[in-house]
Amino acid sequence: MAAHIGRRLRKGAATTAVAAAAVAALSASQAPGATVDDQGRQSTGDATSAPDTAADDSATGNSPYYTDLPPLNSPNPSPSAGSGDAGDQRVGEAGIPATVLDAYKQAEATLREKKPGCNLPWQLLAAIGKVESGQARGGRVTADGTTVTPILGPQLDGNGFALIRDTDNGAYDGNRMYDQAVGPMQFIPSTWDWAGRDGNGDGRKDPNNIYDAALAAGHYLCRFDWDLSQQGDLRKAILSYNNSTDYLNTVLSWLEFYRRGTHEIPDGTGALPVDRSDDTARPGVTPSAPGTTPPARPGKPSGSRPSPSPAAPGNGGSPSTPPVTPPPATPPTPTDTVHHLEDAGTGTLTAMAGHTFAERVSTRAETEAGKAVAKVRIRFTLVGDTDTTFTGGETVATVTTDASGVAVAPALQAGERTGAFAVQAAVVGRSVKGVPYKATVTARAADALALAGEKEPTCVAGGEFAEPVQVKATYRGEAAGKVAVTATLVTSADDPAENDKGPYFKDADGKAVRSLTGLRTDADGQLTLPKLYADDTAGTFLLRLTTAGGATLDVKLTVEPAAAPSPEPDPSTDPAPSTDPSTQPSTDPSETPAA
C-alpha cells in the first residue's frame, strides 16, 4: 500500500510539472492585456462574449474525465528502449491507435475546408479524446470506427455530478431518467442531438463512432468563429467543452505533448488511463469509468431484483438488517419550473442573401405565473428550405437564459437561397410549447449602378464596340456582390421596349439578341458585359441596366456612319488614247539615247 501511495505521489509531482510547463508554454503567446478569470476563462478588452458554459450546456455536461498527464520525457519513441523501461512507457503514451488517429486527421481536413478560419489542429482532438475516453479505450474500435462496446459516463443525477435529467428518452445512453455522456468524445445526448455529424459517410450520426464523434467535436470547438491558433480563443473553446480549469490544463498538457510528436499504433493496443476527476466525487461509491455501467446511487440496490427481506426478530427468522434510508428527493431544477416560452421583443427577421440579419431571435422562459426563469437551456433550430445558418455555420444553437429569463440566439447569417423559413425556440429537456419565428431572405440587391470609365462606348456601323461595357453596383455605398443584372437595348429613354435595330449582343449560336438576363456582379460589385456589335444603322442608342433593389443605369451607345467607299473610275469618261505620232515612243534604234 505504501509503495502504491509512493508511486501516486511521485506521479502527481511529475504530472503537475508537466501541466505547469505546458500551460506556461501555451500562455506565452497570449495577447497583451489578456486576463483570466477565476474559472480559467480568458478575456481581452474586446466586446466578444464567451458562450455560456453551464454544466448542462457544455459538450460533456462537465462529466468526469481522465486526469492522467503525459510523461515529462520526449514523446518521440526511442529505438534503444527495451521492454518494460521508461522508453516503452513514452512510446505507449505518445502512440495513438490507427483508426482513432485517422479520424482526428480526417476531421481536421474537413474543418480546414468548411471553416478555414478556425485553424483546428488534429492534436487538439487527440488531447480531448485522450482526456475523455483514453483514445476510445485504447482504440478498441471496429474497422468503421465504432467502439466495440458503448462508452458511457456516469449518470448526471446531481449526486456528485451535474444534474441533467433525461433529454433523449434513453435513445443514446439507454437511461430514461438522467443523461450520460456518450462515446469516445463524451457528448451528452442533448448536445449530440444538434452537434452530431456523419464523419465516415455511412449516413448515420453515431456518437459511438470515432469518425462521427471527432468531426462533431471539431464543429463544436469551431462553432463561435473562434480562431484556435489564438490563445484566448483556444482556451474558450476547451472550456466550452468542459468548464473546468483543471480540465483546461490537462487538455493543454496533452495538446503540447502531441504537438511535440506522436505515432500510429495498432487498434486496441493504446495505453489505458487510470486516474479520473471523480475519484473522490462520491464518497463510498466506486466511480464509473467510460465503458462501464454507472454505479447505483447510494442507498439504492444495485441489482435488478431486490433480495428477499429477512424475517423480523420474533417471527422465527434471522435479525433484520437496518432499513435503508432512501435518498432525499431531488429539488426541481430551473428547467422543471418552465411553463411556457414567450417572445422577448424580437423584431422583423429579414435580410438580403449573403448578409447578416440585423435582428436576433430573443425568447423568454416563464413559469405558469409569468415569472422569469434563469439558467434554462433554450434550443434554437432553423426549420425549412434554407441555407441560412447561425454565426459559425450551425443550424442549431443552444443558449442559456440570463437572470431575466431571456435567451438571445446567435446572429443569423443569410445564405443564397431566398424565401421564408422559421426559427423554432424550445426548452431543452421539457415538452413545453415552443415559439416559432418567421424569417425571410430576400434577393441580393443594389441601389446604385455606375459606368466604369469616363468614355461612352462608340463604334462604326456594321462593326463592333472595341471596349466592353463595365459597371459597378453598390448598396448603401458598399460594393454589391453577386447581384443579378438585366441588360436591355431599349427603344428610347421613354420607351423601355426592346429595340429592333442598332447595337446588339450575340447568343451562343451567334444570333443577334438585344436583351440579356442572368448577369451577375462579382464579389466586388463589378460586371463586364459581353461584347456589343452594331448593325448598319447609325445613331445614338440606349443600353438600360437594371437590378433587384431598383438600381437603373442608361448607357449611351453611339454608332457612327461607316466611311463612304472611294468611287470606281468610269471607263466611258476616260480620254481616248492619242494618235499623234510625235507623242508615240520612237522605235528607231538610231534614236536610242546614248548611255
Side-chain angles (χ1 to χ4, degrees):
M1 180 66 177
H4 173 71
I5 294 175
R7 285 195 302 271
R8 291 293 295 273
L9 289 175
R10 287 194 297 274
K11 177 181 179 182
T15 54
T16 299
V18 173
V23 173
L26 287 166
S27 297
S29 60
Q30 190 168 291
T35 59
V36 179
D37 65 15
D38 59 358
Q39 297 299 317
R41 289 173 294 216
Q42 186 187 62
S43 62
T44 56
D46 59 27
T48 303
S49 60
D52 190 304
T53 50
D56 57 352
D57 199 30
S58 64
T60 69
N62 293 347
S63 293
Y65 57 91
Y66 287 110
T67 59
D68 298 53
L69 291 172
L72 290 171
N73 305 86
S74 168
N76 295 316
S78 172
S80 61
S83 176
D85 64 12
D88 280 341
Q89 179 190 6
R90 294 194 298 273
V91 171
E93 291 285 8
I96 299 177
T99 299
V100 178
L101 179 60
D102 184 57
Y104 296 148
K105 292 186 175 180
Q106 281 199 28
E108 179 198 53
T110 300
L111 269 297
R112 189 184 303 122
E113 176 185 354
K114 299 294 184 182
K115 297 183 179 180
C118 180
N119 293 309
L120 171 79
W122 66 261
Q123 291 91 340
L124 176 58
L125 296 176
I128 291 176
K130 179 72 174 181
V131 169
E132 293 295 346
S133 67
Q135 310 297 19
R137 302 297 291 156
R140 287 162 176 78
V141 296
T142 60
D144 70 345
T146 303
T147 56
V148 175
T149 57
I151 298 177
L152 294 175
Q155 67 178 13
L156 301 174
D157 58 6
N159 188 15
F161 308 119
L163 174 60
I164 306 179
R165 301 190 189 279
D166 175 54
T167 60
D168 65 331
N169 199 29
Y172 295 118
D173 54 14
N175 190 334
R176 297 188 178 183
M177 293 187 64
Y178 302 97
D179 271 351
Q180 295 174 246
V182 183
M185 303 304 278
Q186 289 289 277
F187 280 95
I188 55 174
S190 59
T191 301
W192 181 263
D193 188 51
W194 63 265
R197 293 292 191 280
D198 176 15
N200 62 351
D202 64 356
R204 300 174 59 237
K205 300 176 182 179
D206 182 2
N208 290 299
N209 182 279
I210 185 59
Y211 288 98
D212 295 359
L215 183 58
H219 275 279
Y220 185 90
L221 294 165
C222 293
R223 70 196 187 283
F224 285 102
D225 280 347
W226 283 323
D227 179 357
L228 302 187
S229 66
Q230 301 296 316
Q231 178 66 10
D233 284 355
L234 175 66
R235 294 174 66 93
K236 291 176 186 177
I238 296 172
L239 285 168
S240 79
Y241 210 89
N242 189 316
N243 190 26
S244 160
T245 303
D246 290 339
Y247 179 88
L248 169 70
N249 293 337
T250 305
V251 170
L252 289 177
S253 298
W254 282 105
L255 171 60
E256 182 68 13
F257 183 76
Y258 287 135
R259 277 176 167 168
R260 293 202 305 269
T262 187
H263 59 280
E264 177 185 299
I265 60 175
D267 289 343
T269 64
L272 297 178
V274 177
D275 299 324
R276 285 173 58 83
S277 61
D278 58 341
D279 279 350
T280 59
R282 303 171 75 163
V285 179
T286 302
S288 62
T292 63
T293 303
R297 292 176 57 183
K300 181 177 180 180
S302 59
S304 59
R305 177 181 297 177
S307 302
S309 300
N315 292 332
S318 59
S320 63
T321 58
V324 176
T325 303
T330 304
T333 66
T335 301
D336 295 330
T337 66
V338 177
H339 178 266
H340 60 272
L341 296 178
E342 293 284 347
D343 175 36
T346 305
T348 302
L349 296 171
T350 301
M352 188 187 303
H355 289 237
T356 301
F357 282 69
E359 285 287 330
R360 295 167 65 178
V361 177
S362 182
T363 300
R364 174 182 163 97
E366 298 183 353
T367 64
E368 186 173 9
K371 184 178 178 181
V373 184
K375 298 182 179 180
V376 174
R377 288 181 301 146
I378 305 298
R379 179 180 296 135
F380 299 96
T381 305
L382 304 187
V383 180
D385 185 16
T386 181
D387 57 355
T388 294
T389 64
F390 291 109
T391 300
E394 304 296 342
T395 58
V396 179
T398 302
V399 181
T400 302
T401 57
D402 59 18
S404 62
V406 174
V408 180
L412 288 166
Q413 178 66 41
E416 295 301 323
R417 194 170 301 163
T418 60
F421 64 97
V423 181
Q424 183 71 36
V427 178
V428 176
R430 284 294 305 278
S431 297
V432 300
K433 186 177 180 180
V435 180
Y437 296 84
K438 182 180 178 181
T440 304
V441 177
T442 60
R444 289 178 178 265
D447 55 17
L449 282 170
L451 184 66
E454 299 179 356
K455 294 183 179 180
E456 294 180 342
T458 62
C459 84
V460 176
E464 59 185 50
F465 288 80
E467 298 294 333
V469 175
Q470 294 181 316
V471 296
K472 181 171 183 178
T474 56
Y475 183 77
R476 297 180 180 176
E478 300 292 333
K482 301 180 181 180
V483 174
V485 179
T486 298
T488 304
L489 290 148
V490 298
T491 302
S492 68
D494 299 324
D495 186 356
E498 183 179 305
N499 206 337
D500 60 357
K501 58 185 177 180
Y504 61 91
F505 300 104
K506 286 184 180 180
D507 63 13
D509 297 325
K511 296 180 180 179
V513 293
R514 290 185 168 86
S515 183
L516 294 178
T517 59
L519 302 173
R520 196 170 292 274
T521 62
D522 62 17
D524 297 322
Q526 304 277 356
L527 172 64
T528 300
L529 272 66
K531 180 172 286 190
L532 275 164
Y533 302 85
D535 62 14
D536 295 333
T537 308
T540 300
F541 302 89
L542 285 183
L543 170 63
R544 178 163 293 174
L545 304 174
T546 58
T547 71
T552 301
L553 174 66
D554 284 343
V555 180
K556 187 170 72 172
L557 305 176
T558 301
V559 179
E560 299 174 347
S566 299
E568 293 291 334
D570 186 353
S572 63
T573 61
D574 287 345
S578 174
T579 58
D580 185 354
S582 63
T583 63
Q584 300 302 313
S586 173
T587 59
D588 186 351
S590 63
E591 297 182 3
T592 302

